[in-house]
């Protein structure tokens, strides 16, 4: 799907806060000149504008926004229009304290900050609906408005009496009877049994914090609540004109809500991407953010939008580094390579005061257009214009590799009190598996365990720490392998059901015959301990953290443990099942071992790479449509020669194999 049908082009621009400059009309004038100079074609406005849009209860003032939208449109700049529900005016908090959130210690927050409303407050919902309706009635038909940006970075939860009541209702609908709930939550443990719905409170460090099934339901409920709020806003903005798509800006490594579920409530996924580039060896960071991009694309299996990124530095990391020369284009193109239809920034112009006055911006306090950052931004705008006809409508290729990444299982893994207690590092574990493909230039999709998940198009499916099985995933995986697929599953998979209750079967549940192995025990290693998985030809894969003890039930031991009392027993197994093959990694292979393991596997399966050559450390390649993005994050100049003849698109020259530090080359293959 095209994310912005009213303007089917790559977007370049970002968060624009004209409401901070209403007493500087000359600056607002100059913004438009500067935007055109920087090849900006779309800006997001209104994100935190509520106090200016409704200065007093029921008194709306759209005059400034009218002027801004018209001026932008007259100059060919489109608008991503936000609903301002991410922060509310002081008068509202004063008059209706119920709009403020109650924290996990059951304390009501005071006015201030942002992203802290109560999502069930009827007053807040009514105020938001009225505001959204007014915005939509006024602007939805404006040809310059191309996308709704619902609120800002939804996160967190509220434990007020209203939200508690909704939690109980949600539970009652789900379980129907308290008996069913008590079973699902295993409440015969520590006298947790509930005898009335009114006894149930949200999890809290000063209350119930040990019922892991309940905490899991709280996360599901919080996801549902956020979706319900988004649906309410969506309905309001759509009433005037349903043709404008709706997005919400998502975040990296996000924990609070299940994004696969949440994405069902928005038309377009967009996200805010803030890596810390050092300009030295940025291999790990680049891979981390490539995976974030791929997750975002996978949420709806559609192109996404990079809604925020910084043109230079941020101001909220422990060390706020500037981007090295070249890094701005490189990191922007990384997003495009992985499926973004935009490069948007936070923020257009640096504010004069408060928390974000030192956050990077396209235009700094001095308002100059001859800065390094301004030139870097302009370059990205020009490149996007060059790529637009070639790439914008190009279909995103379907990867052959799929990694299962499931929010519910992730929550359950991290809550589980075993192994590395509270430290199973689900996201980082998935990332280590992903790295092996990223560095080879092999594209990857992510899928979760919802019923809609279809694995049939993939050659290789990877299930790292798939602790929970739900949505019939075991049948899907069995069918996938039987019909010729290759599965890699790791330790600590298939242990609990959707209620976080242990299966009373061998592990991994219902798949031991497919994998030909069962996991008998799981050992955890101290940080200074290690072991290795050794193959019959003497290759040793170092392992750390986790070593599971495996019992063969038909599989072959591909590698055995080198040390400890389980020395000589299977560490990695492989098993032919039906037309396919299933691998089990009983131990946590270190990053380098995983890279080596998957390199061989991908080669033996003939999985294509973006460029047919081995790439140096820190260099990767990613194809989109007819072009290949060759990216150098190694911090060093590199020289190497891919198979075939390639043209460096931006220079209009044959690619000469030279790739300076922190650069991207955009290549097309010569016919
Ligand atoms: C987030 C927010 C923005 C801004 C940036 C700063 O992504 O959405 O409003 O605060 O962080 O990096
Ligand atoms: Zn609440």
């Amino acid at each position: 799907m095209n994310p912005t049908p009213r303007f089917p082009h790559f977007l370049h621009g970002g968060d624009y806060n004209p409401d901070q400059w209403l007493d500087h009309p000359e600056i607002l004038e100059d913004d438009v000149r500067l935007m055109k100079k920087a090849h900006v074609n779309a800006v997001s406005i209104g994100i935190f504008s509520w106090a200016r849009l409704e200065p007093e209860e029921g008194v709306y003032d759209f005059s400034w926004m009218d002027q801004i939208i018209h001026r932008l449109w007259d100059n060919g700049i489109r608008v991503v229009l936000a609903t301002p529900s991410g922060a509310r005016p002081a008068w509202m908090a004063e008059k209706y304290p119920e709009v403020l959130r109650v924290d996990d210690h059951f304390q009501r927050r005071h006015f201030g900050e942002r992203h802290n409303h109560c999502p069930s407050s009827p007053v807040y919902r009514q105020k938001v609906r009225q505001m959204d309706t007014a915005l939509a009635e006024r602007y939805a038909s404006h040809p310059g408005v191309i996308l709704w940006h619902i609120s800002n970075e939804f996160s967190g939860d509220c434990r007020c009496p209203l939200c508690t009541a909704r939690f109980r209702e949600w539970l009652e609908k789900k379980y129907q009877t308290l008996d069913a709930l008590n079973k699902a939550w295993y409440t015969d443990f520590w006298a947790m049994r509930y005898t009335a719905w009114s006894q149930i409170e949200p999890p809290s460090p000063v209350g119930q914090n040990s019922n892991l099934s309940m905490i899991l339901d709280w996360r599901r409920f919080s996801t549902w609540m956020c979706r319900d709020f988004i649906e309410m806003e969506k309905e309001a903005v759509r009433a005037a004109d349903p043709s404008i798509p709706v997005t919400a800006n998502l975040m990296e490594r996000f924990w609070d809500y299940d994004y696969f579920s949440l994405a069902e409530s928005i038309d377009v996924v967009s996200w805010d991407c803030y890596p810390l580039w050092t300009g030295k060896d940025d291999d790990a960071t680049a891979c981390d953010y490539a995976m974030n991009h791929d997750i975002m694309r996978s949420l709806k299996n559609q192109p996404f939008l990079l809604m925020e990124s910084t043109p230079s530095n941020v101001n909220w990391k422990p060390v706020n580094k500037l981007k090295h020369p070249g890094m701005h284009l490189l990191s922007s193109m990384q997003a495009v390579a992985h499926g973004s239809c935009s490069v948007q920034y936070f923020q257009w112009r640096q504010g004069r005061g408060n928390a974000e006055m030192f956050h990077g911006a396209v235009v700094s306090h001095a308002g100059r257009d001859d800065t390094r950052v301004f030139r870097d931004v302009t370059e990205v705008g020009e490149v996007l214009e060059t790529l637009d006809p070639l790439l914008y409508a190009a279909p995103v290729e379907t990867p052959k590799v799929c990694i299962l990444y499931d929010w519910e299982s992730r929550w359950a893994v991290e809550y589980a009190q075993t192994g590395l207690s509270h430290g199973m590092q689900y996201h980082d574990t998935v990332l280590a598996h992903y790295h092996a493909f990223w560095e080879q230039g092999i594209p990857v999709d992510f899928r979760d365990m919802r019923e809609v998940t279809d694995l049939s198009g993939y050659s290789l499916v990877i299930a790292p720490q798939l602790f929970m099985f739900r949505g019939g995933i075991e049948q899907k995986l069995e069918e996938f392998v039987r019909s010729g697929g290759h599965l890699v599953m790791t330790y600590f998979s298939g242990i609990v059901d959707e209620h976080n209750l242990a299966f009373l079967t061998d592990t991994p549940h219902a798949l031991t015959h497919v994998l030909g192995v069962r996991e008998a025990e799981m050992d955890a290693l101290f940080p200074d301990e290690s072991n290795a998985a050794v193959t019959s030809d003497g290759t040793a894969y170092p392992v750390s953290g986790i070593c599971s003890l495996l019992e063969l039930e038909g599989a072959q031991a591909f590698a055995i443990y080198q040390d400890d009392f389980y020395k000589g027993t299977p560490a990695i197994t492989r098993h032919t099942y039906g037309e396919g093959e299933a691998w089990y990694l009983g131990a946590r292979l270190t990053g380098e071992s995983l890279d080596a393991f998957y390199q061989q596997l991908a080669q033996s399966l003939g999985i294509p790479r973006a460029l047919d050559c081995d790439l140096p450390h820190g260099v990767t390649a990613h194809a989109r449509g007819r072009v290949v993005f060759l990216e150098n994050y190694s911090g060093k100049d590199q020289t190497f020669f891919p198979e075939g003849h390639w043209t460096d698109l931006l220079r209009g020259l044959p690619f000469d194999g030279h790739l300076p530090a922190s650069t991207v080359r955009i290549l097309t293959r010569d016919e």
Side-chain angles (χ1 to χ4, degrees):
M1 181 204 153
N2 163 2
T4 50
R6 281 193 184 172
F7 186 63
H9 297 284
F10 284 119
L11 308 184
H12 185 231
D15 284 18
Y16 180 38
N17 300 308
D19 32 334
Q20 293 177 18
W21 302 98
L22 295 180
D23 53 355
H24 284 273
E26 72 294 350
I27 286 185
L28 294 176
E29 283 276 335
D30 205 37
D31 277 335
V32 172
R33 177 187 71 82
L34 292 168
M35 284 175 190
K36 287 164 81 172
K37 188 162 181 197
H39 294 248
V40 160
N41 61 13
V43 292
S44 307
I45 63 169
I47 300 172
F48 297 113
S49 299
W50 202 333
R52 281 286 187 182
L53 292 174
E54 193 180 355
E56 283 172 55
E57 185 168 15
V59 178
Y60 293 101
D61 175 11
F62 293 110
S63 55
W64 63 272
M65 195 174 253
D66 287 352
Q67 266 185 28
I68 296 289
I69 292 182
H70 292 143
R71 183 186 291 148
L72 291 167
W73 172 246
D74 288 344
N75 287 279
I77 299 163
R78 268 64 181 184
V79 164
V80 172
L81 188 53
T83 66
S85 59
R88 65 227 53 84
W91 59 256
M92 196 188 297
E94 185 182 31
K95 183 161 176 201
Y96 309 104
E98 70 160 65
V99 304
L100 301 170
R101 192 167 286 189
V102 170
D103 68 17
D104 63 353
H105 284 65
F106 302 105
Q107 293 280 321
R108 173 91 56 191
R109 307 303 300 261
H110 288 234
F111 172 68
E113 302 300 324
R114 56 178 180 172
H115 306 156
N116 52 8
H117 60 269
C118 164
S120 42
S121 152
V123 172
Y124 197 54
R125 285 180 173 236
Q126 187 200 15
K127 296 287 174 206
V128 170
R129 203 177 297 113
Q130 284 166 348
M131 169 55 70
D132 290 3
T133 303
L135 280 168
E137 281 173 354
R138 197 165 188 97
Y139 299 117
S141 60
H142 194 292
V145 176
I146 58 170
L147 183 68
W148 286 111
H149 179 300
I150 300 293
S151 203
N152 194 64
E153 293 190 338
F154 281 107
S155 66
D157 40 35
C158 175
R159 286 164 173 76
C160 77
L162 293 164
C163 288
T164 302
R166 292 200 87 185
F167 183 41
R168 290 175 190 146
E169 278 163 32
W170 184 89
L171 291 169
E172 208 170 333
K173 192 159 168 227
K174 175 166 178 173
Y175 292 107
Q176 312 277 321
T177 66
L178 273 176
D179 196 38
L181 175 135
N182 278 312
K183 278 206 178 85
W185 287 7
Y186 203 64
T187 55
D188 285 314
F189 180 73
W190 288 357
M192 289 172 179
R193 178 162 280 276
Y194 294 99
T195 52
W197 296 99
S198 57
Q199 295 158 358
I200 300 171
E201 289 186 328
S204 154
V206 295
Q208 182 58 276
N209 228 10
S210 291
N211 190 317
L212 304 182
S213 307
M214 182 247 233
I215 295 177
L216 198 66
D217 266 340
W218 174 254
R219 296 256 66 84
R220 292 183 179 120
F221 166 74
S222 300
T223 302
W224 171 82
M225 177 64 104
C226 181
R227 284 187 63 174
D228 190 59
F229 196 88
I230 292 175
E231 295 285 352
M232 178 275 294
E233 290 214 59
K234 194 163 88 176
E235 202 183 292
V237 295
R238 279 217 173 133
D241 183 343
S243 72
I244 306 179
V246 162
T247 192
N249 53 338
L250 309 184
M251 289 177 272
E252 65 197 52
R253 288 175 175 252
F254 191 66
W255 173 261
D256 305 0
Y257 318 134
D258 173 352
Y259 269 170
F260 274 103
S261 165
L262 189 143
E264 291 175 11
S265 290
I266 52 181
D267 302 313
V268 177
V269 166
S270 66
W271 82 286
D272 302 343
C273 170
Y274 290 105
L276 174 62
W277 301 112
T278 65
K280 302 206 173 63
D281 181 354
D282 281 319
D283 179 276
T285 305
C287 178
D288 191 349
Y289 284 83
M291 175 164 135
N292 277 301
H293 288 309
D294 282 344
I295 289 176
M296 294 297 163
R297 188 195 63 250
S298 297
L299 292 178
K300 292 186 86 71
N301 201 23
Q302 277 174 14
F304 60 93
L305 296 173
L306 178 64
M307 187 57 86
E308 291 179 26
S309 61
T310 179
S312 59
N313 53 0
V314 297
N315 68 334
W316 47 264
K317 301 223 178 197
V319 177
N320 296 293
K321 286 207 81 67
L322 296 176
K323 286 183 184 171
H324 278 226
M327 190 45 96
H328 184 59
L329 181 64
L330 172 58
S331 56
S332 301
M333 290 305 111
Q334 181 187 42
V336 173
H338 287 264
S340 178
C341 282
S342 67
V343 177
Q344 302 286 96
Y345 310 116
F346 180 87
Q347 50 193 335
W348 166 252
R349 185 183 278 277
Q350 222 165 20
R352 284 198 77 183
N354 293 336
E356 293 183 325
M357 67 187 282
F358 296 117
H359 194 290
V362 181
V363 181
S364 61
H365 294 134
R368 304 189 68 97
D369 58 9
D370 57 357
T371 61
R372 187 178 78 97
V373 172
F374 195 92
R375 278 193 295 273
D376 281 356
V377 164
T378 306
E379 182 187 21
V380 168
E382 287 165 349
V383 170
L384 288 173
E385 282 167 12
T386 307
L387 293 179
D388 201 76
L390 269 177
L391 275 198
Y392 185 77
V396 177
E397 276 166 66
T398 308
K400 288 281 158 216
V401 180
C402 171
I403 300 183
L404 292 173
Y405 186 105
D406 188 90
W407 253 264
E408 295 197 5
S409 186
R410 177 181 170 209
W411 292 328
V413 166
E414 298 292 352
Y415 291 136
Q417 297 183 9
T418 183
L420 304 169
S421 200
H422 297 294
M424 291 304 287
Q425 302 161 359
Y426 181 77
H427 187 94
D428 285 332
T429 301
V430 173
L431 180 57
H433 287 254
Y434 174 84
H435 183 269
F437 300 94
W438 173 82
E439 67 160 19
Q440 293 182 71
I442 295 175
V444 173
D445 268 348
F446 289 88
R447 293 286 178 268
D448 74 339
M449 290 191 271
R450 281 167 311 153
E451 265 142 38
V452 293
T453 293
D454 176 8
L455 302 174
S456 56
Y458 300 107
S459 309
L460 176 59
V461 169
I462 299 167
Q465 292 188 177
L466 201 65
F467 179 59
M468 177 186 287
F469 277 2
R470 66 183 182 103
I473 195 69
E474 55 275 47
Q475 286 89 343
K476 284 180 196 171
L477 290 173
E478 191 272 344
E479 156 78 21
F480 171 74
V481 179
R482 186 159 36 83
S483 50
H486 293 255
L487 168 69
V488 178
M489 181 166 268
T490 80
Y491 58 89
F492 213 45
S493 290
I495 297 177
V496 297
D497 66 11
E498 63 185 44
H499 299 301
N500 213 0
L501 296 180
F503 290 118
L504 301 177
T505 63
D506 285 334
T507 298
H509 172 69
L511 286 181
T512 51
H513 66 298
V514 176
L515 291 148
V517 70
R518 70 187 160 84
E519 183 169 312
E521 293 180 80
M522 187 172 77
D523 192 19
L525 274 53
F526 290 108
D528 61 352
E529 278 185 306
S530 64
N531 203 329
V534 186
T535 64
S536 57
D537 67 7
T539 309
Y541 294 106
V543 305
S544 65
I546 299 285
C547 292
S548 280
L549 278 52
L550 308 181
E551 296 289 343
L552 297 180
E553 296 203 341
Q556 289 169 9
F558 172 77
I560 53 174
Y561 285 113
Q562 190 175 49
D563 284 320
D564 222 317
F565 70 89
Y566 35 89
K567 176 177 176 176
T569 69
I572 303 176
T573 63
R574 68 190 290 185
H575 185 232
T576 306
Y577 179 83
E579 305 287 303
E581 193 169 35
W583 294 77
Y584 199 73
L585 306 185
R588 178 176 282 173
L589 270 61
T590 59
E592 279 174 19
S593 338
L594 280 174
D595 292 348
F597 173 79
Y598 282 121
Q599 191 166 13
Q600 275 180 9
L601 188 59
Q603 214 167 10
S604 73
L605 299 179
I607 294 174
R609 302 177 290 186
L611 286 179
D612 199 13
C613 66
D614 292 338
L615 299 165
H617 170 85
V619 173
T620 190
H622 210 87
R624 180 168 173 183
R626 283 185 43 235
V627 310
V628 172
F629 294 83
L630 180 57
E631 306 152 42
N632 181 1
Y633 304 98
S634 67
K636 294 185 196 145
D637 296 352
Q638 302 281 359
T639 306
F640 68 96
F641 301 94
E643 289 278 306
H645 296 282
W646 298 84
T647 296
D648 179 333
L649 188 79
L650 300 181
R651 281 162 198 76
L653 295 169
F655 175 58
D656 58 3
H658 183 50
L659 190 64
S662 307
T663 52
V664 56
R665 293 279 184 255
I666 303 174
L667 307 178
T668 52
R669 192 187 262 279
D670 300 346
E671 297 304 328

